[in-house]
Amino acid sequence: MPEAEGDGLAELYQELILDHYRRPRNQGSLEAHTSRVALANPTCGDELELDLLLEGGTIRDVRFSGHGCSISQASASMMTQLIKGKTLDEARRLAARFSEMMRGSADAAHDRALGEARALAGVARFPVRVKCALLGWSALEESTRDHP
Amino acid sequence: MPEAEGDGLAELYQELILDHYRRPRNQGSLEAHTSRVALANPTCGDELELDLLLEGGTIRDVRFSGHGCSISQASASMMTQLIKGKTLDEARRLAARFSEMMRGSADAAHDRALGEARALAGVARFPVRVKCALLGWSALEESTRDHP
Amino acid sequence: MRDPRADFPILGEPVHGRRLVYLDSAATTQKPRQVIEAVADYYRRLNANVHRGAYDLAVRATEAYEDARAAVAAFVGAPDPRGVVFVRGTTEALNLAASSLGRLKVRAGDGIVVTAMEHHSNLIPWQLLAQERAARLEMVELTPQGELDVDGYRRALERRPKIVAFTHVSNVLGTINPVAELARLAHEAGAVVVVDGAQAVPHLAVNVAELGADLYAFSGHKMLGPMGVGVLVGTPELLDAMPPYHGGGEMIRTVQDTTATYAPIPHKFEAGTPNVAGAVGLKAAIAYLGALGMAEVAAHERALTGYARERLAAIEGLRLYGPEERAGVVSFTLADIHPHDLATIVDSEGVAIRAGHHCAQPLMRRLDVPATARASFYVYNTREDVDALAGALEKARALFGYARA
Amino acid sequence: MRDPRADFPILGEPVHGRRLVYLDSAATTQKPRQVIEAVADYYRRLNANVHRGAYDLAVRATEAYEDARAAVAAFVGAPDPRGVVFVRGTTEALNLAASSLGRLKVRAGDGIVVTAMEHHSNLIPWQLLAQERAARLEMVELTPQGELDVDGYRRALERRPKIVAFTHVSNVLGTINPVAELARLAHEAGAVVVVDGAQAVPHLAVNVAELGADLYAFSGHKMLGPMGVGVLVGTPELLDAMPPYHGGGEMIRTVQDTTATYAPIPHKFEAGTPNVAGAVGLKAAIAYLGALGMAEVAAHERALTGYARERLAAIEGLRLYGPEERAGVVSFTLADIHPHDLATIVDSEGVAIRAGHHCAQPLMRRLDVPATARASFYVYNTREDVDALAGALEKARALFGYARA
Ligand SMILES: Cc1ncc(COP(=O)(O)O)c(C=O)c1O
Ligand SMILES: Cc1ncc(COP(=O)(O)O)c(C=O)c1O
C-alpha cells in the first residue's frame, strides 16, 4: 500500500479507486433478493441502493446501484467483492474492521482480510469523506440488522 | 418651573407630581360616557381606562381609572384637568404640545396652556418614562380618533 | 467561588458616572471576555457554514458546532448529544415543543396542564396550541407561599392530560419546583413533561436525565453565553417521534417537488443555517461556569440572596414575595412607590433592577399586584451590590417623602 | 470598489499551508473586523435585555436594537421600520411567513405556487403547509437556460393561488428573477407575494417597496453580518393582519390564564429575547456595505463572475449551468469527476467551494445531475482567486487521469 504523503490526494485518488469508481463491480440490482435498502447521504446527495440475496446466513449474491463521489462508489464496489459468499458474521466483522480503518487504525489498514478496500485507508485523513466511504457499509448494516 | 439639575430625579418626583399620583383628579368612571378606551403599556404593565362625555365637540366630562407608575398616573390626572370643558380641537392642540414637551421642547415646557402638566417637563430626560407620561394622552387620542 | 468580576468588561463601564451594579441577570447575564473572545475568534479563524462543506474550514466549523453540542449535553447530563437541539432561546424551544408535540399528541378535548407561575414563553405557546386544537388548557394554582400546589397538580393529572409544562425555577419568585417528583407523577398519568429551565441551568447543577424531563428548554444568554442561541434537550426517542418544526435546508433527507423525508435528529429540528458562533460562545460559557463550579455558583447565589432578603426586609414598607428557599431572584414592592419608579430611582445610583410583570401576568394577578421590582443575582454580584441596592431604595423612600427608618 | 480584503482577518489564516481562497459566500460570508468588533463591543459596553428595562443599560441596548431595525429598513427601502421583523435567518423568516400566512389565507383546496429553483427553505415550509391544510402546491418550471418560465407562471396564476413564493436570486444558477413583474402579475391574480431574498440583498441594491413584495426574507450571515440574525420585511398592513407566530415574552399586550392579546408589529412576531448583538452586528455590516457602495459591490461581482465563466469555460470537460446574465454564483461539473471529489481536491489548494445539491434537489433533478460544484463570489474575492480555482480544477483533471488541455 502506498503510504500517505504530501496532501494525501494521490493516495485518495489512486488508480485502483478510480478504476472501481469508473467500472464498479457488482453493479445493478438483483431480481431475486432477500433485502433491498436505499440510503442517501443528505450532505452531498449521494444515493445508494443495495440488494442482498441471503441463503442460510450466507450472502449468496449482492448488487448495488446509485450515484455518488468516487469514494462512495469505489467503496461500495469493493465491499460487494469482499462480502459475496461470506457469512453474515464474517461480513459484520469486515464492516467493523473497515470502520476501524476509517478511524485511522493502522492495524486495520494492514489487515489482508480487507482486500482491495485497504486502498481506502487514506480516506481517514479526510474526515468529511469518511461518510462517503461508509455509505455502502451502512447499507449493509441496515440490510442485515434484523438478522441474527 | 424648577430647572433640571443633578440626576433630574428631584424634578421628576417633585411634590406636585406625587400629589397627583396619590390623589388623582377625576378618577373613576362615567356612567354616561360617549367613549371608553382601555390602554396598557405592555412593557411595565401600566393600565388605564379613559371615559369621555362629548357633547357637540366639547369634552363635557372625563374620568380615568387604572394603575401604574407615578408618572403615568400623574400625567393622566393632569390631563383630565386640562381637557375638561375644552373642545376637541383644543384638546388635540394640548396633546400635540405635550408631545413636544416630551421630545424636549423648552418652548412647550413654558407654554402656560399646559398648566400643571408642565411639571412633567423633566420626564423628557428619562426616555423610557416618556411612554408612561403619554399613556393618558394616547388614550385621549384613541378616544377621539373617529371624531371630526 | 473565585471572584470573577475582572473577567466582565461591562462592569468597568460607569453608569450615570457610577459603578454599574447589575442586578438583572434573570433577564440576561453579562458576558466574560472568554465568551466575547470565543465568538470573535470563531469569526476570525474558522467561520463557515456547517454540515455541507467538503473543505477544511467547513469541517472545522462543523466540528466546533458539534463540540458545542457535546459540551451542552455533558453540562446538563443529557446521555446522548443527538438529544440536544440548538434554537434561538427558551422561547423558541418551547414553541417548537408546543407545535411539534401538539401535532404528535393533542386532539380536540385533550388536556394540557401548565402552572400559574409560568413565564409567558411557557404559557402562550400552549394557549395557541389549545385554541388551534380545541384542547383544554388547565392552570395549576400556587400556595400562598408561592410554591406549586402539588395537590392541585395531582388533581389536574387525574384528567390524564397529554402534556404537562412547568418551569423549573420561577423567574419572579425564585421558587424551585420539585421537577423529578412532578415529572414522575406526570409520567404515571401518561403525560409528556416539558420543563422551562431558563432560570435553572444558569444557577443550579441540572441533570435532565435524573430529573426525568422529556423536553427541557433553556437560553444561552442567561448563562454568560451569547444572545441568539438556546437549547431544547429531549430524549432521542421522543424527538425521533416528533414531526419536524421548521422546514428548510439541513433538515431533509430527500426532497421531491411536493413531499420530503427528513434527516435524523437533531438535524431534523435545525432547519437553516444555525448560529454556529452562538453555539461556540455557549460552549465557552459552559467551560467558564464549569471552572467556577456549579455547586460554588449555587452556593454563592444562595448566600447573596439570603443577605439580600435580610437587608431588604429591614427597609420600612418593603414587601418580599415568594418562598424562603429559592434561587437568586428577589421580587419586592416598596410602600406605594410603583416598581417602575423604583427602577428609575435606583438606576440613578447605577443599580440596574427590573420592574414590571416579568412576563408573568397570571402570577401578578395571583400576587394581586400589577408589577413588582426584581433584583436577580449571578456570579459577578457581591454583598456590596446588595448594599448599593438597599441604599438606593432608601433614596427612593426619601424622594417619595418617607422618613428614614 | 476599494479593496476590502485587509478588513477580513480570516483571509490571513492559512489553509493546508496555503492562502485561503474563499469561494463559498453564497453559503455564508466572512466577516470584516468592523462587524466582529461591533458584536464584541456591544457585549463589552451595552449588553442588556431590550424593551423591558427602566435602567440606563436597557435603554441603550433597546436603542441599539431599534437603530439596527431602522438601518435595515433604510438598506432595503422599507418605508416603515415596523415592517422589519428580526428572526434567525431566511429559513425562519419563510417558516414564519408560511405558518402565519397559512392560518390567515389558506383553506383546503387553495393554491400555493413556488418555482423549481427554490432553496429547500422556500419549499419545505410550503410543502408542510399544503399538507396540513390540504392545499394544492404547484411548482413553476424553468426554461432550458435556467430562467423562470414566465408563461408557466402566468398559467399557474390563472388558478388564482392564495400565495406565490419565489426566490429573488437562485443560489445555484445565479438567475435573477424579475421580481417586480412577477409580483405585479401575482397581485393581479389576488395572491400574496413572498420573496426569498437570501441571495439578493447581499449582492444587489434591493428596494422592497419598488419590487412590490409583500414579504421579503434574508439572512444577516450572508451579507457580512453575524450568524443568528435575519429579517422578514413586510408591509405593515399585511403583518398587522397576520396572526402571531411564536408565543412568549415581548409579543403580548395582556395575558389572561387561557387567552392573550398581542402587541403591535413588529413585536408581535418577536417573542422572547432577540439576538440584540446580532442585530447590532448586522447594522455594522450594512454600514460596511454602504461604505463600499452596493452598486460597486454588484459591479465587482459581475466583473468577477464574467471572468470566472470565461476561465472555467476554457477547462476541457467543464460544463457551466445557468443563464449568462446572473449574480455572482457559478455552478459547474467537470467531466466524470464528482463535485464532492472536486471540492476535496481544490480544498487541498486552499480553495473553498461547495459541492452538492445546494439545498435545491428539485432543481438538481431538472438539471439532471445529482450534484454540482459551486463557486460564489463576494466583495473580498479577486481575479487571483478565480485563477487559483482554475488551477486547482486542472489539478483535479490530472488526478483523475485527464491530460492537460
Ligand atoms: C422562566 C423563563 N422562561 C422563559 C424565558 C424566555 O427566555 P428567552 O427570552 O431567552 O427566550 C425566561 C426569560 O426571559 C424565563 O425567565
Ligand atoms: C436562496 C436561499 N434561500 C434560503 C437560504 C437559507 O438561508 P439560511 O440558512 O440563512 O436560513 C439560502 C442559504 O442557504 C439561500 O441561498
Side-chain angles (χ1 to χ4, degrees), chain D residues 111-118 122 136-143 147-168 177-196 211-215:
Chain D
I112 301 166
V113 170
V114 296
T115 85
M117 66 169 93
E118 297 313 312
N122 201 23
R136 178 172 43 83
L137 182 63
E138 194 169 341
M139 192 172 265
V140 179
E141 296 297 332
L142 311 183
T143 67
E147 290 177 323
L148 190 72
D149 173 8
V150 179
D151 288 339
Y153 179 76
R154 285 175 187 272
R155 277 195 302 280
L157 292 179
E158 281 167 14
R159 302 180 68 185
R160 302 192 71 80
K162 288 287 165 39
I163 297 169
V164 174
F166 54 82
T167 193
H168 191 159
N177 281 317
V179 176
E181 187 196 340
L182 299 178
R184 189 179 53 73
L185 293 171
H187 285 149
E188 283 172 16
V192 171
V193 175
V194 180
V195 177
D196 174 352
L211 292 173
D214 298 305
L215 296 175

Side-chain angles (χ1 to χ4, degrees), chain C residues 14 26 68 74 107 161 165 167 211 224 240 244 248 250 253 258 260 262 272 282 292 294 304 332 345 367 371 400:
Chain C
R107 302 288 168 268
T167 193
L211 292 174
L224 308 181
D240 266 336
E250 304 305 328
R253 200 175 180 107
T258 59
Y262 306 110
L282 178 55
L292 289 179
M294 283 309 290
L304 215 51
F332 58 93
I345 295 167
L367 299 178
F400 269 69

Side-chain angles (χ1 to χ4, degrees), chain C residues 214-229:
Chain C
D214 299 305
L215 295 175
Y216 192 100
F218 57 98
S219 300
H221 72 94
K222 292 187 199 279
M223 51 188 286
L224 308 181
M227 288 173 146
V229 66

Side-chain angles (χ1 to χ4, degrees), chain C residues 25-28 88-95 117-122 167-172 196-200 217-222 228-230 358-359 374, chain D residues 49 52 248-250 271-274:
Chain C
S25 292
T28 198
R88 178 173 42 246
T90 306
T91 302
E92 188 184 18
L94 294 168
N95 278 276
M117 68 169 92
E118 296 315 311
H119 187 281
H120 294 159
S121 291
N122 201 24
T167 193
H168 192 159
V169 172
S170 159
N171 66 313
V172 177
D196 173 354
Q199 298 296 343
F218 57 98
S219 300
H221 72 94
K222 292 187 199 279
V229 66
H358 314 295
C359 298
R374 181 186 75 183
Chain D
N49 213 323
R52 303 189 226 164
E250 305 304 327
T273 304

Side-chain angles (χ1 to χ4, degrees), chain C residues 51-232:
Chain C
H51 295 308
R52 303 190 224 163
Y55 53 88
D56 186 66
L57 262 189
V59 174
R60 290 195 286 143
T62 304
E63 278 168 10
Y65 185 61
E66 296 302 330
D67 283 354
R69 195 189 304 281
V72 168
F75 189 64
V76 297
D80 186 341
R82 291 182 310 135
V84 171
V85 177
F86 282 120
V87 291
R88 178 173 42 246
T90 306
T91 302
E92 188 184 18
L94 294 168
N95 278 276
L96 190 169
S99 164
S100 179
L101 274 185
R103 277 171 290 147
L104 182 68
K105 299 259 173 202
V106 182
R107 302 288 168 268
D110 283 349
I112 301 165
V113 170
V114 296
T115 86
M117 68 169 92
E118 296 315 311
H119 187 281
H120 294 159
S121 291
N122 201 24
L123 172 59
I124 317 260
W126 307 111
Q127 288 186 351
L128 292 171
L129 174 63
Q131 283 154 25
E132 192 187 305
R133 303 256 152 192
R136 177 173 44 84
L137 182 63
E138 194 169 343
M139 191 171 267
V140 179
E141 295 299 330
L142 311 184
T143 67
Q145 289 73 47
E147 290 177 322
L148 190 72
D149 173 9
V150 178
D151 287 338
Y153 180 75
R154 284 175 188 272
R155 278 194 302 279
L157 292 179
E158 279 167 16
R159 302 180 68 184
R160 300 192 72 80
K162 288 290 167 36
I163 297 169
V164 174
F166 54 82
T167 193
H168 192 159
V169 172
S170 159
N171 66 313
V172 177
L173 303 175
T175 314
I176 304 173
N177 281 317
V179 175
E181 187 197 341
L182 299 179
R184 188 179 54 73
L185 293 171
H187 286 149
E188 282 172 16
V192 171
V193 175
V194 181
V195 178
D196 173 354
Q199 298 296 343
V201 175
H203 307 289
L204 317 167
V206 166
N207 184 303
V208 290
E210 284 170 17
L211 292 174
D214 299 305
L215 295 175
Y216 192 100
F218 57 98
S219 300
H221 72 94
K222 292 187 199 279
M223 51 188 286
L224 308 181
M227 288 173 146
V229 66
V231 177
L232 181 67

Side-chain angles (χ1 to χ4, degrees), chain C residues 52 272-273, chain D residues 89-91 119 121 167 169 171 196 198-199 219 221-222:
Chain C
R52 303 190 224 163
T273 303
Chain D
T90 307
T91 301
H119 187 281
S121 291
T167 193
V169 172
N171 66 314
D196 174 352
Q199 297 297 343
S219 300
H221 72 95
K222 292 186 197 281

